[in-house]
Amino acid sequence: MKRILCFGDSNTHGTAPMRDDNDVVRFDADKRWPGVLRAALGVGFDIVEEGHPGRTTVHDDPVEGAHKNGRSHLRAILESHWPLDLVIIALGTNDLKFRHGVSAFDIASSVGTLVDLVRATPMRGKPMPKILVIAPPPILEAGWLAEMFAGGQVKSEALGAAIARMAAARDVACLDLAPIAKVSPIDGIHFDEATHHAIGVAVHKAVLPLLV
């Protein structure tokens, strides 16, 4: 059995586009992109869904809480689900919030910090897992989240290239979602069901060479 960890934010969790703070819907397991990946891979694979809404790469969120910091929890999650054959890191969108004040370069560097953390976590006699980083597509400053993500749209347009450069420097696989997925205009950051399916198909194609 090969085990794949999907470490991400609300778009890994499967949060549907939201019209306001109370409009919270989670897509069913088979509709979320990790579920699409699970179905495409078939038997012999265990997909661990670790999507936390609001999760950042390395930042304590001053509004939503320190528990949103991905770096703080990644090692415990790696150890909890050991052994792992592949770790997929799909983060960066929440770093675009105005409150964090970081550039695309900084966000990519922060994803790199998580890559380094995966590689530094002892695997207790098992091989180090392969790593795939997923660069999120550009966001829109739209709907009720527009002010929260003010200034994020322009930075997000540079994020895919920045994450790709970081991944190349660390010799890890990278999937840029910009050509594949568009965020919903309802809230500017989340994906609809059809987009989750497209992402799952693309991730399946990207992981196959890493699982041989």
Side-chain angles (χ1 to χ4, degrees):
M1 178 74 71
K2 290 185 180 293
R3 183 172 295 113
I4 300 171
L5 171 66
C6 300
F7 184 69
D9 51 29
S10 58
N11 279 326
T12 298
H13 178 263
T15 303
M18 303 168 62
R19 298 189 183 279
D20 56 50
D21 193 28
N22 294 314
D23 182 24
V24 183
V25 174
R26 187 184 189 190
F27 290 122
D28 290 341
D30 62 334
K31 306 301 182 185
R32 306 190 289 263
W33 72 257
V36 176
L37 173 64
R38 179 185 293 109
L41 288 170
V43 297
F45 293 90
D46 180 18
I47 307 299
V48 179
E49 297 186 54
E50 272 290 348
H52 182 192
R55 177 178 280 152
T56 69
T57 53
V58 301
H59 306 289
D60 292 352
D61 193 305
V63 176
E64 298 178 48
H67 64 293
K68 300 297 186 180
N69 187 327
R71 178 172 56 186
S72 296
H73 301 283
L74 178 55
R75 179 163 177 172
I77 290 170
L78 292 169
E79 292 180 357
S80 295
H81 298 292
W82 173 95
L84 292 161
D85 297 278
L86 174 65
V87 175
I88 300 174
I89 301 172
L91 288 171
T93 296
N94 288 301
D95 293 47
L96 293 165
K97 291 175 180 176
F98 179 81
R99 68 186 65 145
H100 296 303
V102 292
S103 67
F105 176 87
D106 287 340
I107 297 170
S109 297
S110 298
V111 175
T113 296
L114 300 180
V115 171
D116 297 341
L117 180 55
V118 172
R119 287 176 164 169
T121 300
M123 287 294 120
R124 294 180 287 177
K126 295 292 185 180
M128 181 187 301
K130 300 289 182 61
I131 302 172
L132 170 67
V133 295
I134 296 180
I139 68 166
L140 299 172
E141 292 171 36
W144 74 284
L145 293 174
E147 188 172 1
M148 187 185 297
F149 284 86
Q153 184 171 336
V154 171
K155 289 191 287 187
S156 73
E157 291 168 356
L159 189 53
I163 290 177
R165 287 191 295 269
M166 177 281 300
R170 284 173 168 78
D171 194 27
V172 295
C174 179
L175 173 63
D176 186 356
L177 292 185
I180 300 159
K182 293 188 182 302
V183 296
S184 170
I186 293 173
D187 64 11
I189 66 166
H190 292 120
F191 305 136
D192 62 21
E193 186 177 312
T195 303
H196 270 274
H197 182 82
I199 292 170
V201 171
V203 174
H204 175 243
K205 182 178 179 180
V207 303
L208 285 179
L210 304 176
L211 295 172
V212 294

